[in-house]
Amino acid sequence: MVWSCNTGSSAKAPSPATSMPELLKVDTNSIPKDKYGEMVRYGRELMLNTAYYIGPDGVNGHYLGNKMNCTNCHQDGGTKAFSFNLMLSHQEYPQYRAREGKVLTLAERINNCVTRPHNGKPLPLDSKEMVAFLAYLRWINSFVPKDKPHQGSHNLAVKLPDTAADPEKGKMLYQEHCARCHGKDGEGQLAGVSYTYPPLWGPDGYQPGSSMHRVIKQAQWLKANMPYDKATWNKPFLTDEEALDIAAFVNNDSIHARPDVKNYDYPHVAEKAIDYDKGPFADTFSARQHKYGPFRPVISYWDQHGMKASY
Ligand code: HEC
Ligand code: HEC
């Protein structure tokens, strides 16, 4: 089993039984009962009920362009293992981001999610809401074991097949395993201020510039987390190929419209993630191959040309 994943890190698979790395988790009962704790608590509220506070009809501001909550992707408020876990983030920023071609603070990185998956406008960096997000991320970071190996900070890896992901197969699998919650047309199920089941495409879904729109990236997340009531990180429901096929269907722009964005960034093409389908590219492969694969020839090409493929 590969437990670390997509960042090219050299982490090894854990050996079984006793030396199993600790699964990341937090204890929300231990939030301090002081001013700092108040901000942590508000930050957690914002992660869980983002649309209620800062959605299109938010009670504390109108920043998001849709009614999704951060926790729809960063589950359990960013603390669920293998679910775009955010427990390391506080210690890893400021960080160079290939997407913008510059070093970003954690606050700026949060705003990228406010703007792209939430199709919104950035929070002022000194707003109470931004400070609360940062306080919360600092607090969850305090649960990362400092002296023991841990797991779940990155999503599971998926094995990349020799063939391209197939949106047609993905469509059938979607109707079989996903439509009962997310709807036949990916519209989700709105319950007043936010969703019981969030939308997967359409005007209220994430933007095409979001990382969730990348086929490999989404498949890695689906593997441990969807279908919601069936998959767990140590007992995935979908095979790797099924996860890739479904992600290809969900992210097929020729049939699924999304809120439009004009700026796809990555000023340096050789730093572009290989499953990011917006050209120009640092190689000779088509936009279609960057979207659906097969990805292994792309990775080999990058290796041969001394470039580091990320996905
Ligand atoms: C549609 C899914 C989705 C939603 C909704 C979403 N995010 Fe993200 N977020 C992602 C993905 C995908 C990444 C990239 C993770 C990766 O590359 O492994 C990410 C990355 C991040 C990171 C950087 C993590 C790191 O350590 O580098 C932060 C911080 C973050 N999101 C915060 C938020 C906050 C706060 C919200 C709510 C305002 C939010 N996100 C909503 C999908 C989402
Ligand atoms: C039993 C209901 C259920 C089923 C079945 C299900 N999901 Fe979900 N899905 C959810 C819920 C609930 C969330 C939000 C998770 C949260 O807030 O903790 C979610 C979130 C998501 C998200 C991230 C948020 C967004 O809207 O972009 C994606 C992507 C997703 N599901 C895809 C799928 C796919 C693909 C399948 C089929 C393989 C699937 N889901 C099956 C309930 C379900």
Side-chain angles (χ1 to χ4, degrees):
M1 180 187 72
V2 180
W3 59 275
S4 183
C5 63
N6 46 14
T7 49
S9 97
S10 59
K12 296 280 188 301
S15 50
T18 51
S19 62
M20 200 64 181
E22 202 165 294
L23 202 62
L24 287 177
K25 59 173 184 314
V26 303
D27 173 12
T28 48
N29 292 320
S30 71
I31 298 176
K33 294 184 176 49
D34 55 11
K35 293 286 178 200
Y36 166 66
E38 268 173 38
M39 282 309 250
V40 171
R41 221 166 268 122
Y42 183 42
R44 184 166 171 85
E45 272 290 305
L46 286 170
M47 292 291 305
L48 300 177
N49 302 301
T50 327
Y52 171 78
Y53 291 107
I54 57 170
D57 312 314
V59 293
N60 289 350
H62 303 172
Y63 292 99
L64 311 183
N66 62 36
K67 295 184 175 179
M68 281 207 271
N69 298 319
C70 310
T71 198
N72 292 158
C73 300
H74 305 284
Q75 286 186 274
D76 295 349
T79 67
K80 183 178 169 195
F82 304 101
S83 183
F84 293 126
N85 184 283
L86 298 178
M87 288 171 67
L88 287 187
S89 306
H90 187 264
Q91 73 193 53
E92 292 191 338
Y93 285 79
Q95 182 189 107
Y96 177 76
R97 302 291 307 164
R99 179 69 183 265
E100 290 76 21
K102 61 180 188 185
V103 174
L104 295 192
T105 63
L106 184 53
E108 291 171 310
R109 180 65 188 86
I110 290 170
N111 268 337
N112 286 345
C113 271
V114 173
T115 47
R116 292 167 194 154
H118 288 285
N119 192 31
K121 54 177 198 279
L123 290 163
L125 296 180
D126 61 353
S127 59
K128 183 177 174 190
E129 283 66 32
M130 182 56 84
V131 175
F133 274 126
L134 293 170
Y136 173 71
L137 292 178
R138 177 185 161 195
W139 180 76
I140 62 174
N141 180 246
S142 69
F143 289 87
V144 176
K146 300 290 178 281
D147 45 1
K148 281 184 270 181
H150 50 79
Q151 59 179 339
S153 58
H154 296 300
N155 291 344
L156 296 179
V158 294
K159 193 167 174 300
L160 299 173
D162 291 328
T163 48
D166 181 347
E168 282 303 315
K169 277 192 203 151
K171 180 179 181 175
M172 277 147 55
L173 291 162
Y174 177 88
Q175 297 305 344
E176 192 180 340
H177 300 302
C178 320
R180 68 189 160 96
C181 292
H182 291 286
K184 192 164 61 52
D185 295 314
E187 71 280 13
Q189 208 183 97
L190 190 63
V193 75
S194 69
Y195 290 90
T196 313
Y197 304 119
L200 300 188
W201 61 84
D204 300 317
Y206 52 82
Q207 290 183 353
S210 309
S211 299
M212 197 54 128
H213 189 249
R214 288 163 43 192
V215 168
I216 302 178
K217 189 66 107 185
Q218 173 162 132
Q220 292 167 333
W221 181 83
L222 292 176
K223 183 174 173 179
N225 298 297
M226 290 293 145
Y228 187 75
D229 53 355
K230 293 193 170 154
T232 58
W233 72 273
N234 50 359
K235 206 165 176 260
F237 178 82
L238 303 170
T239 65
D240 291 8
E241 241 176 278
E242 287 172 340
L244 287 159
D245 289 345
I246 295 177
F249 167 69
V250 168
N251 290 322
N252 180 344
D253 299 320
S254 52
I255 48 172
H256 296 153
R258 296 182 177 278
D260 197 17
V261 277
K262 302 283 178 258
N263 183 3
Y264 294 109
D265 302 321
Y266 283 107
H268 310 293
V269 284
E271 296 175 358
K272 195 173 282 192
I274 57 155
D275 57 337
Y276 195 68
D277 65 342
K278 308 283 184 274
F281 301 109
D283 52 42
T284 52
F285 300 96
S286 65
R288 189 178 169 83
Q289 188 156 355
H290 279 283
K291 185 167 190 85
Y292 299 122
F295 295 106
R296 273 152 58 173
V298 182
I299 296 170
S300 305
Y301 178 101
W302 281 56
D303 281 350
Q304 282 158 18
H305 290 77
M307 302 186 295
K308 192 173 173 293
S310 67
Y311 53 92

